[in-house]
Amino acid sequence: MKIWKRRKTLAFVCTFLFCLMACSEKERNPNYLIDGSLKKWQPVTLTFDGPKVSETDSVNPFTEYSLLTIFTNGEDTLRVHGYFAADGDAANSGASSGNKWETKFSPPKTGSWTFESFFRKGAGIGIVPDTALEKVDLLWKTKGSFEVAETDTTETGFYRTGKLAYVGKHYLERSESGAPFLKNGVGSPENFLGYWEFDGTFDHGGADTPTLIDGLHRYEPHTRDWKSGDPSWGNGKGKGIIGALNYMASNEMNSLYFLTMNEHGDGDDVWPWIEPEIQTRYDVSKLQQWEMVFSHMDRLGIAMNLFTQETENDTILDKGDLGATRKLYYKELVARFGHHLGVVWNLGEETNRNADQLKSYAGYIRQLDPYRHPIAVHNHVRVTGKRMEGRPLDPIKETLTPMLGYADFEVPSLQMFDTTEVHREVRKWRDLSVKHKKPWVVYLDEIGHWDIGVTTDTAANNNHQMVMRSSLWGSLLSGGAGTSWYFGGLDTPNNDMAAEDFRTREQWWQISGNAKKFFNDHLPFWEMQGHDELLSNPKAFCFAKKDEIYVVYLPKNERTELEIGDGAFTIAFFDPWAGGKLYDMQNGGWEITKPNSVTLSALNGKSDMDWVIVIKRK
């Protein structure tokens, strides 16, 4: 829906021109365009006519201008930064200059929204805090209003379920329904945005990827997954990357891990600037093409696990401090992409930064972001008992301990080398966060060995059974809020940097999707927590709401005793490998051995496979 504010009559035009000549520039109200469905959660774009500039002007449009719009609905006020948009259609035109300036807004509430927009010019104003903007002279200001209707229940993804929000619990919630969100994420390739049909994207000398043409992703196997009506740009570009997202969503994947800046990093093919070394000039057409991809993710319900830097380049901006260049980077990311509904801002992959630096990043992002998206950080790998050069013996502890209880941090993004430690580590940080009075949403975002990760279906060293037990169910049954699946580096055409065809792991997507579906269909998991102390066998896992429901993961060839409450219970079995239905068995697979205790074993004696056992009060 588009609404142009127009001057209707000649008399009005004459009056307006007379007033314009008589008034100062500060009081001039420029025309604006409102574009959007005007429904709750769906983006509204305000486009303003401003000064005509280019990405490379002597007066930098990214640092020397500021567009701030204040949206109000009753007692709710959101302060949203705008950005330079070239000709307003740069994704298709490739334009680097123009007079269009935009503000993106996702209304979290129905009813009448009013807005007031302020456009300023001044040295370094692009990173001036909101509270100090009033001291800078205005070029113009304008105001307007629009009505927002109820959520479109025929929509899909986050446009129907609303923003993912941190609400002081161990799972993010969908804002429209309050339903908890369990992440089942694609964790590779980390350079997902190193895509050949994005403007200004090229291989700048990253890791050797001999199976890629010119070192860039094309996702050619997924062009067949693009559908009529899906987005594309520049006369049909983008079908490979959009098709890849369609494939992920069709296989129960609801999150994607990717870098927005890997200059000087492993891939060295993703950056938001016009050139990798020119870090205060942003590539408007490329960023508008990214925006089309991210909007499609919203529609599919794929969350953005957005990593702002990686271990190899986390001193590129201001030597790792929160200086002017880094502030501008965060400001542009938040202004252009903060309206998306599934964002988690990750401060860095395998971070080397100290606690003070991480807190300064988080605090600045939180100050900019009116939607208060969750903030995460990813740790260096820990190899138990082995010191790695230049790193502490336990980088997980070194990174996360200072963040406990910090107001602007919600998500530890765990990397685990030894998958047998996943179950214990996830529960450890979940429990510690409670003790510090700010419950964390604990994600498992990478597993080792770094050369392996999750193998392809046909790999000779296929590790799906092990990963299913130790990392997938191991994390979820200790209260983890979800996972991202890393591909490793050993399988050259399908590794973390070169992966093109997500079908090479289709078996794994089915296994991980089985777990997500089981939790969503059968468990009040947001009310449950790890209770391994109720088991006699340390190889098994227990997740429970005591005296109400117990879920036990029983590895093959194992038995365990489980302590339960008084009363009558039912028992059912689930095959974590094949998925499907729950098998209700009232007289098999358990035995009452003593008061308040049962012995659990495999369904129908099938002890050569893993089982998930659900014991529920009648």
Side-chain angles (χ1 to χ4, degrees):
M1 180 177 183
K2 297 185 177 181
I3 308 170
W4 277 104
K5 302 293 287 186
R6 300 184 186 277
R7 312 306 178 190
K8 297 294 186 181
T9 64
L10 180 60
F12 186 91
V13 171
C14 294
T15 303
F16 173 76
L17 291 175
F18 176 81
C19 292
L20 182 61
M21 290 185 287
C23 296
S24 71
E25 191 173 12
K26 292 180 183 178
E27 298 172 323
R28 183 167 62 90
N29 294 337
N31 291 343
Y32 58 83
L33 168 70
I34 301 177
D35 187 5
S37 68
L38 300 184
K39 294 181 179 178
K40 188 180 179 184
W41 303 120
Q42 298 196 40
V44 176
T45 304
L46 302 182
T47 303
F48 304 93
D49 290 338
K52 185 173 182 179
V53 293
S54 78
E55 296 165 350
T56 57
D57 262 347
S58 57
V59 177
N60 186 333
F62 309 101
T63 61
E64 308 304 295
Y65 292 96
S66 170
L67 172 60
L68 179 70
T69 300
I70 301 173
F71 294 90
T72 303
N73 182 335
E75 296 182 355
D76 295 335
T77 297
L78 285 83
R79 301 167 70 89
V80 182
H81 286 274
Y83 53 87
F84 173 52
D87 66 352
D89 189 34
N92 292 297
S93 69
S96 60
S97 63
N99 72 334
K100 303 302 180 187
W101 300 76
E102 291 181 351
T103 299
K104 290 275 191 185
F105 174 60
S106 288
K109 185 177 178 180
T110 61
S112 179
W113 284 91
T114 61
F115 68 87
E116 190 166 15
S117 297
F118 304 87
F119 194 84
R120 295 175 169 90
K121 179 181 179 182
I125 196 173
I127 58 170
V128 170
D130 293 356
T131 53
L133 284 175
E134 290 80 6
K135 301 175 184 177
V136 181
D137 286 343
L138 282 166
L139 288 183
W140 51 255
K141 65 179 179 179
T142 190
K143 60 177 63 177
S145 64
F146 52 88
E147 293 288 327
V148 171
E150 291 287 350
T151 304
D152 186 348
T153 57
T154 67
E155 264 291 1
T156 57
F158 296 126
Y159 292 152
R160 180 170 57 84
T161 62
K163 181 188 73 171
L164 290 185
Y166 173 76
V167 293
K169 301 177 183 179
H170 292 297
Y171 300 91
L172 301 182
E173 287 187 1
R174 298 170 173 88
S175 293
E176 186 65 20
S177 64
F181 178 78
L182 196 66
K183 183 175 79 166
N184 184 32
V186 180
S188 293
E190 65 177 35
N191 61 339
F192 183 77
L193 298 179
Y195 179 65
W196 74 301
E197 290 182 315
F198 287 141
D199 289 354
T201 300
F202 55 90
D203 183 0
H204 190 233
D208 187 27
T209 50
T211 58
L212 297 182
I213 300 172
D214 297 327
L216 296 178
H217 292 291
R218 295 181 178 233
Y219 309 116
E220 185 64 31
H222 291 292
T223 55
R224 62 175 164 145
D225 298 309
W226 185 89
K227 301 173 184 177
S228 177
D230 284 345
S232 63
W233 59 87
N235 296 317
K237 294 180 180 179
K239 292 182 178 180
I241 196 168
I242 294 295
L245 293 170
N246 287 345
Y247 173 79
M248 292 175 199
S250 71
N251 280 271
E252 300 293 329
M253 310 309 285
N254 62 9
S255 177
L256 179 64
Y257 168 135
F258 60 91
L259 287 157
T260 51
M261 190 272 285
N262 68 7
E263 194 275 324
H264 207 69
D266 284 340
D268 208 355
D269 51 8
V270 177
W271 51 82
W273 312 298
I274 58 173
E275 294 287 345
E277 295 88 1
I278 304 176
Q279 293 157 1
T280 60
R281 305 282 182 156
Y282 285 74
D283 189 327
V284 174
S285 61
K286 176 196 288 188
L287 295 178
Q288 289 196 359
Q289 290 158 5
W290 287 9
E291 166 64 16
M292 295 177 77
V293 172
F294 298 160
S295 294
H296 194 59
M297 291 173 68
D298 274 353
R299 181 156 272 117
L300 294 173
I302 297 177
M304 296 166 55
N305 198 5
L306 190 156
F307 281 67
T308 55
Q309 60 187 8
E310 60 180 317
T311 190
E312 292 83 4
N313 70 7
D314 63 6
T315 58
I316 290 292
L317 303 179
D318 304 311
K319 298 182 180 180
D321 291 329
L322 184 66
T325 307
R326 182 177 293 276
K327 286 181 176 180
L328 181 62
Y329 175 56
Y330 293 149
K331 185 271 185 85
E332 289 290 327
L333 288 179
V334 173
R336 294 174 187 273
F337 309 129
H339 64 283
H340 289 291
L341 302 173
V343 172
V344 172
W345 303 114
N346 199 302
L347 305 178
E349 178 257 8
E350 295 183 346
T351 188
N352 303 300
R353 300 301 94 220
N354 63 46
D356 288 341
Q357 290 172 318
L358 294 174
K359 289 179 179 179
S360 71
Y361 305 167
Y364 189 72
I365 292 171
R366 183 57 46 85
Q367 178 185 348
L368 291 169
D369 180 5
Y371 306 102
R372 298 186 62 83
H373 292 299
I375 296 175
V377 73
H378 184 262
N379 59 270
H380 261 298
V381 68
R382 178 186 68 205
V383 182
T384 305
K386 178 181 178 181
R387 185 174 296 280
M388 302 185 73
E389 185 178 355
R391 301 181 195 172
L393 186 63
D394 190 346
I396 304 177
K397 178 181 178 181
E398 294 290 327
T399 297
L400 296 180
T401 300
M403 307 303 285
L404 287 164
Y406 180 57
D408 296 325
F409 182 80
E410 292 80 28
V411 184
S413 172
L414 292 178
Q415 177 182 194
M416 298 295 301
F417 177 84
D418 184 348
T419 58
T420 66
E421 296 180 337
V422 166
H423 183 68
R424 182 172 63 252
E425 198 74 21
V426 169
R427 182 173 176 182
K428 169 186 171 181
W429 292 106
R430 175 174 155 140
D431 290 350
L432 281 171
S433 71
V434 172
K435 289 181 180 178
H436 285 78
K437 297 182 170 46
K438 183 165 187 184
W440 278 354
V441 177
V442 183
Y443 280 161
L444 177 65
D445 276 334
E446 191 168 335
I447 58 168
H449 187 281
W450 45 77
D451 277 347
I452 300 173
V454 176
T455 66
T456 60
D457 297 344
T458 58
N461 62 336
N462 183 297
N463 64 357
H464 294 177
Q465 186 78 36
M466 180 276 291
V467 175
M468 177 183 75
R469 178 186 303 128
S470 66
S471 302
L472 173 58
W473 287 88
S475 64
L476 296 178
L477 292 182
S478 54
T483 49
S484 291
W485 300 112
Y486 166 75
F487 293 173
L490 200 59
D491 185 342
T492 301
N494 300 292
N495 68 21
D496 182 46
M497 304 304 299
E500 290 282 88
D501 186 357
F502 296 97
R503 284 186 173 84
T504 60
R505 290 175 171 83
E506 185 154 326
Q507 179 189 69
W508 179 252
W509 307 140
Q510 292 169 0
I511 292 168
S512 61
N514 290 340
K516 179 167 74 78
K517 189 173 188 330
F518 171 85
F519 268 68
N520 285 325
D521 289 352
H522 300 296
L523 303 182
F525 58 89
W526 57 94
E527 298 176 347
M528 301 169 72
Q529 58 186 310
H531 278 292
D532 292 346
E533 73 279 2
L534 302 178
L535 301 174
S536 64
N537 187 339
K539 295 180 181 178
F541 309 140
C542 179
F543 191 55
K545 182 180 180 182
K546 289 180 71 174
D547 297 329
E548 295 293 333
I549 186 169
Y550 304 82
V551 178
V552 174
Y553 191 96
L554 190 68
K556 64 181 181 179
N557 299 318
E558 298 291 338
R559 297 166 65 89
T560 187
E561 290 184 359
L562 169 70
E563 296 179 20
I564 61 173
D566 292 324
F569 289 83
T570 62
I571 186 170
F573 289 77
F574 178 76
D575 180 349
W577 182 271
K581 67 177 182 179
L582 281 175
Y583 297 93
D584 293 319
M585 291 291 293
Q586 299 312 308
N587 300 306
W590 66 341
E591 179 184 357
I592 299 175
T593 54
K594 53 187 176 182
N596 301 114
S597 179
V598 294
T599 298
L600 303 176
S601 57
L603 173 65
N604 293 332
K606 295 179 181 179
S607 59
D608 61 341
M609 57 189 289
D610 293 5
W611 288 101
V612 174
I613 306 172
V614 182
I615 297 173
K616 187 177 182 180
R617 183 176 292 280
K618 281 188 176 180

